[in-house]
Each structure stands twice: as C-alpha cells, then as structure tokens.
Amino acid sequence: MPVTETFHDEDTRTLTLIAEFAAPPERVWDIYADPRQLEQVWGPPTYPATVVDHTLDPGGRVTYYMTSPEGEKFRGLWEIVSADRPNRLEFRDYFADESFQAVESMPGSTNIYTFAASEGGTTATYESVFDTAEGLKTVLEMGVVEGSAGAINQIDELLAKS
C-alpha cells in the first residue's frame, strides 16, 4: 500500500498523508497533469471521478465530480496557486455546487502536494491546511482519511500499467 502514514493536527488545522511510489516523481506528477489518469485515482474506489475542467497552471481550475454507488454526484473545485512540475502542486480545494462554484458553507483548504525522489521512487506528501479547525473536524468525521488513503492507494495499479 502506498500510504505509509497519516496524521492530523487540530491546532494547525492540518491533515497530512505520506505515500511511497515505485516510480520517479515525473511519472507520479503525470497522473495529476492528465485528467484521464487523474479520474482513475481521484476519489475512493467506489466513488469514481469525472474531471470536467483541468488546467494546472497558476490561476487555473480543476473541476470534477465523484459518483456514489447510488448515482449521487459530489462536486469539487481546485483553484491552482502554483505548479512546479514535477515537484510541487499547490491549490485551494473546495466542495462545489452544480455550477462548480465553491460552497462557502463547506470546509475549504489549501493543499500542497510534494513529490520527492527517493531510493524506491517517489515519496509523496499530501498536506491539507483547513481554513478552520471546525472544517478539519468536519472532513475527518466525513471519512476524509479513509477516502483519501483509498484514492491514493489506487495509484500503484495505475503506475503498474505504464
């Protein structure tokens, strides 16, 4: 399993997941840079993602929805802050409405994904800093750790295909 560690800190409003991949950072980055590959790993295994818009340039947006086993759609929005291929991606992450606008009543976060070369391939650090401690608590109660770990753990299978 790629996810090797998860932890959160309510004082800093931070959730962090660390994963190891047997591929170089460039290959791991390519998953996030290609909307069709991102669809294969974004969201838990039973909630497949569909990427609608995808621009990883600063100021760009990524919009998507995940579909539940019952057919319910859950939308999300990334607003790209910076993209340093293949090392670092920073974006604001929001729950979104049907028009892919941020839902202000739901937690928002700043996410920093880093991909560092390691002896075995890549160490990926996924850090989310929530706007409020309550926002962090809300997503923890929603199962974000299990859902995120399940999504990230799908990356190995995708990497094995290439």
Side-chain angles (χ1 to χ4, degrees):
M1 293 291 213
V3 175
T4 60
E5 188 176 356
T6 64
F7 52 92
H8 67 274
D9 182 331
E10 291 184 19
D11 292 334
T12 60
R13 308 176 323 275
T14 303
L15 170 64
T16 305
L17 288 87
I18 299 173
E20 298 289 337
F21 301 109
E26 293 82 6
R27 176 63 189 104
V28 177
W29 174 273
D30 287 345
I31 292 170
Y32 294 89
D34 177 351
R36 301 299 74 91
Q37 290 185 66
L38 183 59
E39 287 176 338
Q40 296 178 56
V41 300
W42 191 254
T46 58
Y47 285 70
T50 300
V51 175
V52 178
D53 298 302
H54 186 277
T55 303
L56 285 190
D57 299 323
R61 292 168 41 112
V62 174
T63 61
Y64 64 91
Y65 59 89
M66 295 181 289
T67 305
S68 76
E70 298 76 32
E72 195 173 7
K73 292 185 177 3
F74 298 93
R75 292 167 181 79
L77 161 67
W78 298 355
E79 293 177 343
I80 307 303
V81 175
S82 66
D84 176 22
R85 183 185 195 279
N87 306 305
R88 186 175 189 276
L89 176 63
E90 180 177 351
F91 60 94
R92 290 284 303 156
D93 188 21
Y94 302 97
F95 290 86
D97 63 19
E98 290 182 4
S99 300
F100 293 107
Q101 299 302 310
V103 175
E104 298 298 329
S105 62
M106 294 297 288
S109 60
T110 297
N111 292 264
I112 300 171
Y113 291 3
T114 57
F115 308 106
S118 64
E119 189 173 314
T122 299
T123 299
T125 302
Y126 300 92
E127 181 180 76
S128 301
V129 180
F130 287 83
D131 297 339
T132 65
E134 188 58 41
L136 172 60
K137 288 179 189 176
T138 297
V139 298
L140 289 172
E141 290 170 2
M142 293 171 71
V144 71
V145 172
E146 298 81 4
S148 295
I152 293 166
N153 286 338
Q154 298 173 107
I155 292 174
D156 264 355
E157 184 178 332
L158 181 58
L159 291 172
K161 293 178 186 177
S162 56

